[in-house]
Amino acid sequence: MRSIARPTYMRRPITFPTNLRSRLAGAVGVLVLGATMLAGPLAVDVAEHDLRAVLGAQQYASLSGAAAFLDDLLEARLRQMAALAVAMPLDARHDPRRLQAWLANRTADVGDEFVNIAAFARTGELVASGASMPTAQPLTATGRPYFEETLLRGRGIVSDPFQSRLSGANMVLVTAPVFDDHGEIVYVLAGRIDLQHARFLRQVDALRPGSTGYLFLMSADGTLIDSPAKERQTATAPPADQPGIARALHGFEGWLIGGDREGAAIVTYKRLATTGWILGARYPEKEAFAPLARVRRTVLVVAGILALVAGLLAWWLVRRGLRPLAELRRNVAAVRHEGVDSEVLALARNDEIGELGRAFHDLVQARGRAAARMRAIADNVPAVIAYVDRDERFEFTNAGFDRMIGSEPDVFIGRTVSEALGEAGYARLEPLIRAALLGERGHVEDVRSDDARRHQMIDTIPDIDADGRVVGFFVMAMDISERKEAELAQAASEQRLRLIADNLPVLICYIDRNHRLGFGNATFQAWVGLEPVRLPGMHLQEVLGKPAYDAARPRLKQAFEGVGATFEMPLQAQGRHRILEWTFVPDVQAQGRVNVAVAGVYALAHDMTRVKEAESRLVQMARFDSLTGIANRRLFGELLGQALERVRRQRQVMGLAYLDIDHFKAINDTWGHGVGDEVLKEFAQRLAACVRVTDTPARLAGDEFVVLLEDVKGVDEAERIGAKIVEAIRKPIATGAGPLEVTASVGIALVHGADVPLPTQDQVLGWADTALYAAKHGGRNRCVVRVAEEAAGVPVK
């Protein structure tokens, strides 16, 4: 049997439109369809949200009314028990049998409200009961919350639910205190309400929500008091499955949406003011929103039909409205690929598409003009400019090829670099070409192979598209022979200047506005220990140290303001102390036609250490005695004038001691001037050691010495100072000729700062000299103190 070949069918792939008109029409249709489909259900959801809020508010209002009714009911029970307490006969208060009979009658009268009424003594003992008294162990209410709270408050309460110890039934007690004539509580009446038969909610059942909803009542601790559901009729477990029960037990009042094993529902809670019990209501959402569910189904069907019609209509309108855009697209493609004149783009339409077409037309025209300008610019740049594609073929060349190579630019179009430049030229450019095709910029400066004196600078710049691929590169070559010659000449000049600067015994550097060095000469290494190559970029504080930098900052600020500065500054470096004379020269650069700015500061530092040391030695020689090292006559004269001025200004007493060595000429004549000089030096040292730190000894000439005594307290103190000097000199002086016995005579003149004109220096010296002669005439080796008669207006003690 011949088999029949069955034809095979290939499933055609699903294609989607690629043009903008179809895609935009489809997108608008889908959006309209989706928006219409969403609008109806969204409106129903909004209505359901608002309806839920309305139902919750209505249910809370109804529950508040039921709670108020139950509060009134419990208040009535409390008032009823209070009335029984007031109505208790006096004989019943003292006779338990009479009290038992009275309570039995009252229990029978209020049987619907209370199952039993009992009376407890203040001690808690059960005294009487409307029902039969227990025959077993006596009952006591001591420790029971309802009993203790009634005694504490002095008024009746409604107790929380609890289980009876006798019957085991769940109950609630309503209490009332019984007072005697003195206002003391003698009994507590307690009316028992049996929760199994009380049915509190029966009286407010008309306020339950819907037909399947119900109310429930529980105590403040969550114990269920009343509920229509049989399985909820226990007082031992709270309705823990109710939504929001934990919040209600912590004080929440209001409505909320929740779900439990019975489904979602609107649950409302309200607390009773009388007892703190919580009244709750449960309204199943299934019943509450049953009408709205029917509306939702209807809305979905209608919305689906309208959405389909609106989507198709929007799709058709968009396709029709974008038909001119498709025509513009065809014209643009013709201009771009077929070389059609751009005038076809200038549509006569007055809408947005016509404006877009005219804009395309203007852009094409502007592009042509820009290309012409760029060609003119490229042809007149003094450089070779070219574009090479990824296959290393020239796509663009400028007129620089004719000027630099001597070939027409168009000759290279379409040719490879190797074909255009030859093997030698290609070998020079090959590293740059390879780098450019890898996406890297290239730069080289080399010498032309045909002329050793000609230099070229060649740059290659990769052309990278949006996908990161290198599609070609630009080439720019310039003749830099003149620049190279200028750079070589400048380098030679800089080398000469650097050689001069490095060999000058001067610190030379450039400081920028951030106080960092731009360069420094080789002297920095000799003086500071820093190599010149390390100096650029270093902060001036790092180079000189913080003390020297702080000293230079004010002058540096002055230099950056455009005013040069010269100053001296100490520098401690390389284990040596130097005194440098710095000169700051501002580097002023013009900005515009008028404004100038200081770009940096040139700094030069000369070592003035030897000069300063020589100056110091000259000052020492001019003001101090070269033999003894103490002040000489010149310095003494300056100090004496200053001391006299202080005496006048501060009204103090100043003393001037005039001394000489007894028989000093005999020492020189006997032992020679060398030994005499030894005596003079030792005499000066002892003199400086025995006077006060505020006093100044000086040598006038030969063996004549003076001591300027500041702020002397009186003659007594002056005598003590003189005696101390005489005593210090008496000790033998060691010399080259052996120990010598030397004595000194001292004359002291005291000057008081009175209002009369002070004496001159010569007068004071004369008075001290007179006192010295008095000491000599008195036998030498002593001190004589005299008060100047011209300053004796105020006696000195």
Side-chain angles (χ1 to χ4, degrees):
M1 185 176 180
R2 188 175 63 181
S3 61
I4 300 175
R6 296 182 179 180
T8 59
Y9 297 94
M10 296 182 61
R11 178 179 294 180
R12 298 180 60 186
I14 299 176
T15 59
F16 295 95
T18 57
N19 61 75
L20 176 63
R21 185 173 66 156
S22 299
R23 284 183 292 167
L24 188 58
V28 171
V30 171
L31 288 175
V32 172
L33 179 63
T36 308
M37 287 293 294
L38 287 175
L42 183 61
V44 175
D45 289 340
V46 173
E48 181 177 338
H49 179 271
D50 295 341
L51 181 60
R52 182 181 288 110
V54 172
L55 289 176
Q58 289 178 351
Q59 183 170 318
Y60 181 69
S62 299
L63 194 66
S64 298
F69 178 82
L70 292 178
D71 276 328
D72 293 340
L73 180 62
L74 293 172
E75 287 286 350
R77 300 286 176 89
L78 285 170
R79 288 193 297 270
Q80 187 175 7
M81 288 301 298
L84 286 175
V86 173
M88 180 182 291
L90 293 177
D91 57 350
R93 299 184 185 185
H94 301 91
D95 186 358
R97 290 180 298 176
R98 180 74 180 89
L99 180 57
Q100 176 68 34
W102 183 78
L103 285 180
N105 292 333
R106 287 296 180 265
T107 300
D109 293 340
V110 295
D112 292 338
E113 288 82 5
F114 300 104
V115 176
N116 182 29
I117 301 176
F120 296 92
R122 185 177 180 84
T123 60
E125 181 184 358
L126 178 63
V127 178
S129 174
S132 59
M133 290 287 289
T135 59
Q137 184 179 359
L139 292 178
T140 178
T142 303
R144 287 285 188 168
Y146 64 85
F147 180 77
E148 300 294 343
E149 190 172 353
T150 303
L151 292 178
L152 179 63
R153 295 187 179 185
R155 60 181 177 84
I157 65 166
V158 180
S159 72
D160 287 334
F162 66 94
Q163 194 173 43
S164 173
R165 287 181 288 182
L166 293 176
S167 63
N170 298 318
M171 64 177 63
V172 171
L173 291 182
V174 180
T175 66
V178 180
F179 299 93
D180 61 9
D181 296 337
H182 302 290
E184 297 292 335
I185 299 176
V186 294
Y187 294 110
V188 173
L189 294 182
R192 188 182 76 179
I193 301 175
D194 192 341
L195 294 181
Q196 188 172 2
H197 304 94
R199 302 298 290 169
F200 286 101
L201 299 180
R202 181 174 54 192
Q203 303 179 59
V204 292
D205 188 62
L207 296 177
R208 66 185 177 87
S211 60
T212 60
Y214 59 85
L215 303 175
F216 56 92
L217 182 65
M218 60 183 176
S219 65
D221 61 357
T223 303
L224 187 64
I225 297 174
D226 196 3
S227 175
K230 297 298 182 181
E231 63 274 10
R232 299 178 185 272
Q233 293 291 342
T234 66
T236 58
D241 59 344
Q242 288 294 348
I245 188 67
R247 294 178 59 191
L249 293 177
H250 286 84
F252 169 73
E253 290 186 347
W255 65 275
L256 52 84
I257 301 296
D260 55 16
R261 62 189 180 188
E262 298 178 12
I266 302 175
V267 185
T268 313
Y269 297 97
K270 177 66 179 177
R271 191 174 291 271
L272 301 186
T274 306
T275 60
W277 295 351
I278 300 171
L279 179 62
R282 188 182 190 282
Y283 191 9
E285 281 194 349
K286 185 176 181 180
E287 178 185 355
F289 299 117
L292 196 61
R294 293 191 294 271
V295 174
R296 183 188 298 273
R297 289 192 294 270
T298 303
V299 167
L300 287 175
V301 173
V302 174
I305 296 173
L306 290 177
L308 182 59
V309 174
L312 292 175
L313 181 60
W315 177 81
W316 181 79
L317 288 175
V318 170
R319 281 188 60 84
R320 181 177 178 83
L322 293 180
R323 186 179 298 168
L325 186 61
E327 180 182 356
L328 177 61
R329 176 194 177 189
R330 290 192 297 271
N331 292 339
V332 170
V335 172
R336 180 182 180 186
H337 301 291
E338 301 175 10
V340 177
D341 190 84
S342 62
E343 293 299 325
V344 299
L345 300 176
L347 303 179
R349 300 176 60 89
N350 294 322
D351 55 6
E352 292 83 353
I353 296 177
E355 185 176 352
L356 183 62
R358 290 188 291 275
F360 280 157
H361 172 268
D362 295 341
L363 286 174
V364 172
Q365 295 292 328
R367 180 183 177 186
R369 292 191 296 271
R373 286 194 295 269
M374 292 303 297
R375 165 58 73 174
I377 293 172
D379 286 343
N380 288 277
V381 169
V384 170
I385 299 176
Y387 181 82
V388 181
D389 64 14
R390 188 165 184 82
D391 297 328
E392 301 183 15
R393 294 185 180 276
F394 285 99
E395 289 188 1
F396 172 84
T397 54
N398 71 334
F401 277 83
D402 187 15
R403 294 190 296 270
M404 188 174 294
I405 301 177
S407 301
E408 291 292 332
D410 295 340
V411 173
F412 296 102
I413 301 299
R415 298 173 63 185
T416 64
V417 178
S418 178
E419 295 171 348
L421 302 181
E423 294 298 330
Y426 182 79
R428 291 170 55 208
L429 296 179
E430 186 175 9
L432 297 179
I433 294 174
R434 296 288 173 259
L437 293 178
L438 292 175
E440 301 174 1
R441 295 175 66 103
H443 176 83
V444 68
E445 296 181 7
D446 66 349
V447 180
R448 287 179 53 176
S449 58
D450 57 343
D451 190 349
R453 293 176 300 175
R454 307 298 294 175
H455 293 264
Q456 286 183 332
M457 180 179 68
I458 304 173
D459 289 275
T460 55
I461 305 168
D463 181 17
I464 303 174
D465 63 10
D467 296 330
R469 296 176 301 179
V470 178
V471 297
F473 58 92
F474 297 92
V475 179
M476 183 175 70
M478 297 181 62
D479 190 334
I480 58 171
S481 301
E482 294 181 1
R483 194 197 76 185
K484 276 293 184 181
E485 292 177 0
E487 288 178 354
L488 292 174
Q490 181 179 359
S493 177
E494 291 179 354
Q495 182 66 25
R496 288 191 297 270
L497 292 176
R498 167 62 73 174
L499 184 63
I500 294 172
D502 286 344
N503 286 276
L504 287 176
V506 179
L507 290 181
I508 303 175
C509 62
Y510 183 82
I511 305 170
D512 64 15
R513 298 195 66 87
N514 295 320
H515 295 186
R516 295 186 179 276
L517 270 65
F519 72 88
N521 68 340
T523 310
F524 274 90
Q525 185 169 5
W527 290 7
V528 185
L530 293 174
E531 298 180 2
V533 294
R534 294 176 52 195
L535 293 175
M538 289 185 65
H539 197 276
L540 188 59
Q541 179 173 326
E542 300 179 60
V543 178
L544 302 181
K546 190 175 188 308
Y549 173 69
D550 292 339
R553 284 178 64 183
R555 304 304 180 91
L556 198 58
K557 180 177 181 297
Q558 174 183 337
F560 276 108
E561 292 174 353
V563 180
T566 300
F567 63 98
E568 292 180 359
M569 182 183 71
L571 177 65
Q572 187 72 31
Q574 295 286 91
R576 181 176 177 181
H577 179 78
R578 298 176 186 268
I579 298 177
L580 303 182
E581 182 182 74
W582 288 86
T583 301
F584 287 163
V585 181
D587 180 17
V588 181
Q589 298 183 1
Q591 290 185 345
R593 297 183 178 180
V594 179
N595 297 333
V596 295
V598 178
V601 172
Y602 294 99
L604 296 90
H606 299 267
D607 190 350
M608 303 293 292
T609 307
R610 293 183 180 178
V611 175
K612 290 299 177 182
E613 290 175 351
E615 289 180 357
S616 178
R617 287 194 297 272
L618 289 176
V619 170
Q620 183 76 12
M621 293 172 62
R623 298 170 65 85
F624 292 89
D625 183 61
S626 59
L627 177 64
T628 62
I630 62 176
N632 62 9
R633 178 183 290 274
R634 176 179 296 179
L635 179 57
F636 169 73
E638 296 176 2
L639 297 177
L640 178 59
Q642 297 170 4
L644 287 172
E645 179 61 24
R646 283 194 296 274
V647 167
R648 181 191 65 77
R649 187 172 60 253
Q650 300 176 4
R651 299 293 191 269
Q652 296 177 346
V653 177
M654 182 201 77
L656 178 62
Y658 209 131
L659 310 90
D660 68 2
I661 301 174
D662 295 334
H663 307 297
F664 181 71
K665 185 175 183 303
I667 294 174
N668 278 335
D669 293 342
T670 303
W671 307 106
H673 289 281
V675 173
D677 289 345
E678 292 182 28
V679 171
L680 290 175
K681 288 192 287 184
E682 179 63 21
F683 183 88
Q685 292 177 6
R686 294 185 182 184
L687 184 61
C690 66
V691 298
R692 300 171 303 175
V693 294
T694 57
D695 301 334
T696 304
R699 181 188 178 200
L700 298 183
D703 63 332
E704 296 180 1
F705 291 84
V706 291
V707 179
L708 187 60
L709 304 174
E710 298 273 0
D711 191 18
V712 180
K713 303 303 181 186
V715 174
D716 294 341
E717 184 177 11
E719 289 178 345
R720 285 195 300 271
I721 295 173
K724 186 177 180 181
I725 294 173
V726 171
E727 182 65 25
I729 302 302
R730 284 195 186 115
K731 298 176 182 179
I733 297 176
T735 67
L740 295 182
E741 297 289 341
V742 178
T743 61
S745 299
V746 182
I748 300 177
L750 298 180
V751 180
H752 191 279
D755 293 333
V756 297
L758 288 175
T760 63
Q761 296 185 25
D762 292 339
Q763 288 175 327
V764 176
L765 281 171
W767 296 335
D769 190 31
T770 301
L772 172 63
Y773 275 105
K776 286 181 177 292
H777 289 306
R780 302 179 187 272
N781 190 23
R782 67 184 63 232
C783 173
V784 174
V785 179
R786 295 288 177 86
V787 179
E789 295 178 357
E790 290 79 2
V794 179
V796 179
K797 298 182 179 180

